[in-house]
Amino acid sequence: MARKPANDNPLAPVTLAVGQEDLLLDRAVQEVVAAARAADSDTDVRDLTPDQLQPGTLAELTSPSLFAERKVVVVRNAQDLSADTIKDVKAYFGAPVEEITLVLLHAGGAKGKGLLDAARKAGAREVACPKMTKPADRLAFVRAEFRTSGRSATAEACQALVDAIGSDLRELASAVTQLAADVEGTIDEAVVGRYYTGRAEASSFTVADRAVEGRAAEALEALRWSLATGVAPVMITSALAQGVRAIGKLSSARGGRPADLARELGMPPWKIDRVRQQMRGWTPDGVAVALQAVAEADAGVKGGGDDPEYALEKAVVVIARAARARGAVR
């Protein structure tokens, strides 16, 4: 999990998020933005890639405003900034602007190390976001996720979840959220077993991805494999619902950069790019039909039908057809 100093303040003038774990980097940004908007609901957030932060851009973004508005400036992949822009950023460290929070996301390697060292020397708040390559780190992450959700899970349950899901932190976090929402009382190994034991490469998210892309045959194959290897039907309906809702949200949103849409829709930028690829061929009517199919499948797998597998297969077929409403080429 992301590590922070004991006297942590998300509204410090400069926050340095260091590492290559995308989920933790996104959360580091979200924490700063949430704190800023708690202080001022009109906080302006600018999320920039290295090519968007040219020499002089930072000075423009941090120049004093007549309205003294609070602002968060996020710079992703700061290790890739040009030499001239790095000079601007280093100069800013010496005279940060009140009411502005600068968030630098840095991979932490040798590239751009001078910027990293300068930020640390200037006293930047630092959040460590390393890749979790060790099982013990992922286990600690799962335990922390359950604590954050206010739920109790046994040590055996946490270990079983890590064993079943693997190394993908986003899926581990999603699994904890799902279990916390669906299960009452202490979450134990038996509960995790019912949901995840035997989980194969074809996960519930694979089923959903293939379905919303209009690939009915592949989605059905993934569905049958998932069910055969122990994935809980309720997890598949949840993934289908998330996939269709993401299509609906993005199709009705204003155009713009992934970072802007991510803030508007509450999705990480990487997901915006994926959903943009998946939404070709979808229509508003198709989204409505697909959501109805998901609702019926959800009722079917929760006791409203005699055959949960058939309910899921029917939903997958309806969703895949809806994805091809405009005749998209697959």
Side-chain angles (χ1 to χ4, degrees):
M1 69 207 71
R3 296 190 297 274
K4 299 174 287 188
N7 58 345
D8 183 59
N9 177 14
L11 294 181
V14 179
T15 285
L16 185 63
V18 184
Q20 299 178 43
E21 185 55 67
D22 289 340
L23 174 64
L24 300 184
L25 291 168
D26 284 343
R27 286 184 173 182
V29 172
Q30 291 163 7
E31 182 184 25
V32 172
V33 171
R37 287 184 169 156
D40 181 355
S41 61
D42 293 326
T43 293
D44 181 23
V45 179
R46 303 297 180 91
D47 199 319
L48 307 171
T49 55
D51 61 299
Q52 294 171 321
L53 194 68
Q54 299 298 318
T57 303
L58 184 61
E60 293 176 8
L61 291 173
T62 58
S63 59
S65 168
L66 291 175
F67 303 101
E69 65 178 356
R70 183 175 290 279
K71 185 180 294 184
V72 176
V73 178
V74 180
V75 181
R76 298 182 181 271
N77 298 311
Q79 71 278 357
D80 295 329
L81 291 172
S82 68
D84 288 338
T85 302
I86 287 176
K87 290 180 182 178
D88 288 352
V89 177
K90 288 182 177 179
Y92 180 80
F93 292 157
V97 179
E98 189 176 358
E99 299 296 308
I100 292 180
T101 301
L102 176 63
V103 184
L104 299 175
L105 276 56
H106 193 293
K111 187 176 182 181
K113 189 174 183 298
L115 177 62
L116 198 62
D117 292 341
R120 287 168 171 163
K121 186 176 181 180
R125 164 186 179 256
E126 185 167 345
V127 181
C129 308
K131 276 288 186 183
M132 294 190 181
T133 57
K134 297 179 180 179
D137 291 337
R138 295 193 288 273
L139 181 60
F141 172 80
V142 168
R143 288 172 175 165
E145 290 292 289
F146 277 120
R147 285 197 298 271
T148 300
S149 69
R151 298 303 306 280
S152 175
T154 66
E156 293 79 10
C158 294
Q159 184 62 62
L161 196 59
V162 171
D163 292 341
I165 299 295
S167 60
D168 191 316
L169 249 59
R170 292 190 189 278
E171 291 206 24
L172 283 169
S174 177
V176 170
T177 299
Q178 188 68 48
L179 288 168
D182 282 2
V183 180
E184 296 182 358
T186 299
I187 297 166
D188 59 20
E189 187 176 9
V191 169
V192 174
R194 288 200 301 272
Y195 274 72
Y196 294 102
T197 295
R199 174 181 160 133
E201 293 180 4
S203 69
S204 56
F205 295 102
T206 302
V207 178
D209 285 342
R210 298 296 83 78
V212 299
E213 290 163 4
R215 300 177 181 177
E218 294 177 37
L220 287 171
E221 181 181 1
L223 171 64
R224 290 161 188 159
W225 183 255
S226 295
L227 292 172
T229 54
V231 176
V234 69
M235 296 303 298
I236 298 174
T237 56
S238 175
L240 290 171
Q242 289 181 46
V244 175
R245 286 178 188 139
I247 296 289
K249 284 183 179 180
L250 191 56
S251 63
S252 61
R254 302 187 305 273
R257 298 182 299 112
D260 296 329
L261 289 169
R263 290 194 298 274
E264 180 182 342
L265 302 179
M267 299 181 191
W270 65 267
K271 188 169 184 179
I272 297 292
D273 290 331
R274 174 184 290 180
V275 176
R276 271 180 167 167
Q277 296 297 317
Q278 294 174 333
M279 66 186 286
R280 297 168 184 168
W282 280 90
T283 66
D285 287 344
V287 172
V289 169
L291 286 173
Q292 180 61 36
V294 171
E296 293 175 358
D298 189 57
V301 302
K302 290 180 178 177
D306 297 328
D307 190 342
E309 183 173 342
Y310 172 75
L312 287 169
E313 288 184 355
K314 181 180 178 182
V316 164
V317 171
V318 171
I319 293 168
R321 285 176 179 169
R324 297 195 300 270
R326 286 183 180 149
V329 177
R330 299 293 172 183

